[in-house]
Amino acid sequence: MSLPGSTVDTPPTRVTPGSSARAHLFTSGSVERYRRVLADGIERVATRVAGADRPFTGVTPDELAPRIAGIDLDEPLGGTEAALDELQDVYLRDAVYFHHPRYLAHLNCPVVIPALLGEAVLSAVNSSLDTWDQSAGATLIERRLVDWTAERIGLGPDADGIFTSGGTQSNLQAMLLAREEACARAAGAPGARPTRPQLLSRLRILTSAAGHFSVQKAAKLLGLGADAVVTVPTDADRRMDVAELSRELDRCRRDGLLVMAVVATAGTTDFGTVDPLPPIAERCAAAGVWLHVDAAYGCGLLVSPTRRHLLDGIERADSVTVDYHKSFFQPVSSSALLVRDRRVLRHATWHADYLNPARAVTQRIPNQVDKSIQTTRRFDALKLWLTLRVMGPDAVGALFDEVLDRAADVWRLLTEDPRFEVVTRSPLSTVVFRYLPAGPGRLLADEANLYAREALAASGAALVAGTRVDGAHHLKLTLLNPETTLDDVAHVLDLIAGHASRYVRTRTAAELSCPVA
């Protein structure tokens, strides 16, 4: 320390990493940097999307992993341009581009521009949707969208819900609520009161054999037994067989088991089928069982100008999963869980003095954390809000109708093509099929379809999904891009047939050339 009048030299000012780091903070003093940096990033993405002539480059993990592993994260590049150059090499060039019309694999959609605007706004402001004092109007916007969705479903005046990260989380929370309601009913029934472990061991969830795996995952996470999920067989159209559901409900009652929920699906992942909701709702009402409808895929029907009737019966559900990031053309993540009776959301409530004390309820402070199994949570609702305010729900529904119409055309194309076999016709936008070799090559069908899918992906020319149907390997097209034409699909089918037929010819020739031992 230098005293006044001292002749000791003052040490030079040191520049610390913290002082230079402040320039990167988004503050009132860095808005010009913010504009410039984001514009650079947007330009890179726009250029890549504009120039993408295929959905994928075909890069393999073995090719890409060393490039990423070799990056020294302790040594910054020092500038945005260099970082974007590197990002081009390790991500942008080889990303899978869902906007491309020949991406036909999973339930990934191209996104609408108003939602991208929302993404930019919500990331910059960075509201957290757990409490009012971190979000203000964002809380009310999310609540309005929950009410709007519940109205579209028809859940009634006592409905409520919460935005989630996706269908898996929505289904998990729905099963949590159903479990707690079932336990409460059982505990209040006359007679001997079972212990909590005894109750949990008796709980069962009935779901379609074509339902989503997240139901089994939810049961595991909720501490239920491995046999807690009972799969109900499907009919010829791959929809839950209502007669089989009735038999399972009766069997569980006879065996002293408690069915805590029936999970119906409005848009199965593999087949795009919609379970017969009205008769399922009837069976659930008669048995006093919670009905959950997983409409993660089929929720776009809520705004369809022509096909809303496919969801008839959903209004009788106790809870519903919707994924806006599937059929509302929203960026990931954007999902919600809706419930008929807002009181059941109390099962997800825990009051913390520092965050959402119980007195906040009496003060009528709207805290979304009271309904959510998450605490910190993004303002993902803003993307849907701007989409509806710019485009309107009818326009979103018209886009979904376009892909459903295209899928119907693809189904007809495949049924008329002797090279392929189609499993079932979907009311949504999924087509499951397989290449069928002629003659003795038929025995190689499984291997040929597996090879064709892998060869197609390696080429990057198109992407399709795969699944197993009745033990056999099949291919799956999931159409969610209105830009995809019938010519695009026909071209992809020709590529698949070419890869598969070459595999069969090569295998057959090799086997014929091998001398018999």
Side-chain angles (χ1 to χ4, degrees):
M1 176 177 178
S2 299
L3 298 176
S6 170
T7 59
V8 178
D9 292 338
T10 302
T13 302
R14 296 179 60 191
V15 178
T16 64
S19 61
S20 61
R22 289 195 181 193
H24 296 286
L25 287 174
F26 181 38
T27 67
S28 60
S30 62
V31 292
E32 288 306 319
R33 180 187 182 96
Y34 163 74
R35 288 190 178 105
R36 184 177 67 254
V37 167
L38 262 66
D40 289 346
I42 289 170
E43 181 57 33
R44 297 284 184 123
V45 173
T47 300
R48 182 68 187 93
V49 168
D53 61 352
R54 55 189 57 205
F56 186 44
T57 63
V59 69
T60 67
D62 287 343
E63 292 170 338
L64 191 55
R67 299 210 300 267
I68 295 177
I71 293 173
D72 186 352
L73 295 176
D74 292 319
E75 290 294 331
L77 295 171
T80 302
E81 184 175 0
L84 287 173
D85 286 343
E86 180 183 82
L87 190 67
Q88 172 74 17
D89 180 55
V90 299
Y91 174 61
L92 289 176
R93 182 177 60 229
D94 297 308
V96 178
Y97 285 95
F98 305 143
H99 80 280
H100 196 280
R102 291 179 185 170
Y103 177 86
L104 302 166
H106 302 288
L107 282 165
N108 307 115
C109 60
V111 294
V112 292
I113 293 173
L116 292 178
L117 172 61
E119 188 74 63
V121 173
L122 73 91
S123 296
V125 180
N126 201 31
S127 297
S128 182
L129 264 288
D130 37 343
T131 58
W132 169 261
D133 65 357
Q134 300 176 75
S135 61
T139 285
L140 302 181
I141 286 174
E142 178 175 290
R143 289 191 167 201
R144 180 68 190 95
L145 285 169
V146 164
D147 290 344
W148 176 83
T149 307
E151 290 164 6
R152 286 270 171 169
I153 295 171
L155 290 178
D158 297 323
D160 201 353
I162 193 73
F163 269 63
T164 70
S165 65
T168 294
Q169 184 186 329
S170 294
N171 288 344
L172 171 63
Q173 184 164 350
M175 293 303 96
L176 167 68
L177 304 180
R179 184 194 69 181
E180 294 306 299
E181 287 293 293
C183 288
R185 286 196 303 272
R193 293 190 176 181
T195 64
R196 178 82 172 188
Q198 289 172 333
L199 272 177
L200 292 180
S201 68
R202 293 167 55 200
L203 294 180
R204 295 294 182 269
I205 301 169
L206 307 186
T207 187
S208 163
H212 197 260
F213 74 89
S214 60
V215 176
Q216 282 83 355
K217 191 171 185 177
K220 181 178 180 179
L221 292 173
L222 292 173
L224 305 180
D227 56 352
V229 179
V230 179
T231 55
V232 178
T234 58
D235 59 20
D237 294 324
R238 307 286 167 171
R239 307 194 308 161
M240 183 188 288
D241 188 313
V242 179
E244 292 288 347
L245 172 63
S246 297
R247 280 190 279 273
E248 284 295 341
L249 287 169
D250 290 341
R251 183 189 65 80
C252 288
R253 178 180 51 79
R254 290 194 308 270
D255 293 348
L257 302 173
L258 300 175
V259 178
M260 65 178 237
V262 169
V263 180
T265 309
T268 56
T269 303
D270 267 353
F271 304 106
T273 47
V274 178
D275 287 336
L277 300 179
I280 291 173
E282 289 288 344
R283 303 304 191 278
C284 290
V289 171
W290 181 288
L291 171 59
H292 175 65
V293 177
D294 179 359
Y297 178 8
C299 62
L301 296 171
L302 293 172
V303 292
S304 167
T306 63
R307 294 175 171 87
R308 173 59 179 83
H309 63 280
L310 293 175
L311 290 180
D312 285 352
I314 196 172
E315 70 280 357
R316 301 182 62 180
D318 294 286
S319 56
V320 177
T321 287
V322 298
D323 269 9
Y324 308 107
H325 60 228
K326 287 187 172 67
S327 47
F328 275 70
F329 305 97
Q330 300 295 292
V332 175
S333 295
S334 186
S335 179
L337 171 69
L338 292 305
V339 296
R340 166 179 300 284
D341 183 353
R342 61 170 55 93
R343 292 174 298 178
V344 302
L345 290 170
R346 72 187 184 280
H347 298 306
T349 302
W350 190 273
H351 292 290
D353 284 339
Y354 82 94
L355 187 69
N356 62 327
R359 65 177 179 275
V361 177
T362 60
Q363 295 170 342
R364 298 175 61 82
I365 297 175
N367 289 330
Q368 293 294 81
V369 72
D370 297 342
K371 308 173 187 181
S372 177
I373 60 177
Q374 293 176 263
T375 303
T376 302
R377 194 161 50 82
R378 302 175 81 239
F379 184 23
D380 285 314
L382 180 60
K383 296 176 285 191
L384 179 61
W385 177 269
L386 284 177
T387 299
L388 294 179
R389 299 313 295 144
V390 174
M391 296 174 58
D394 290 346
V396 176
L399 288 177
F400 193 44
D401 267 3
E402 281 192 60
V403 297
L404 303 192
D405 290 339
R406 192 77 67 254
D409 293 338
V410 171
W411 179 84
R412 283 189 288 270
L413 182 68
L414 276 163
T415 56
E416 296 168 1
D417 192 327
R419 299 174 297 177
F420 300 103
E421 176 184 60
V422 190
V423 174
T424 188
R425 183 170 184 173
S426 164
L428 298 184
S429 60
T430 300
V431 185
V432 180
F433 67 103
R434 64 176 179 155
Y435 175 80
L436 277 183
R442 183 73 52 104
L443 297 175
L444 298 172
D446 269 17
E447 297 171 48
N449 281 280
L450 283 171
Y451 175 83
R453 183 190 176 205
E454 293 170 359
L456 185 67
S459 75
L463 287 172
V464 302
T467 189
R468 290 178 72 92
V469 181
D470 301 330
H473 288 288
H474 283 67
L475 302 175
K476 182 174 68 169
L477 305 178
T478 305
L479 289 86
L480 279 178
N481 191 343
E483 293 287 300
T484 300
T485 67
L486 196 58
D487 286 342
D488 284 316
V489 178
H491 179 71
V492 173
L493 294 178
D494 285 341
L495 292 176
I496 290 169
H499 289 305
S501 62
R502 278 192 296 276
Y503 176 84
V504 171
R505 288 196 305 271
T506 302
R507 276 288 307 275
T508 303
E511 291 173 7
L512 288 174
S513 64
C514 290
V516 178

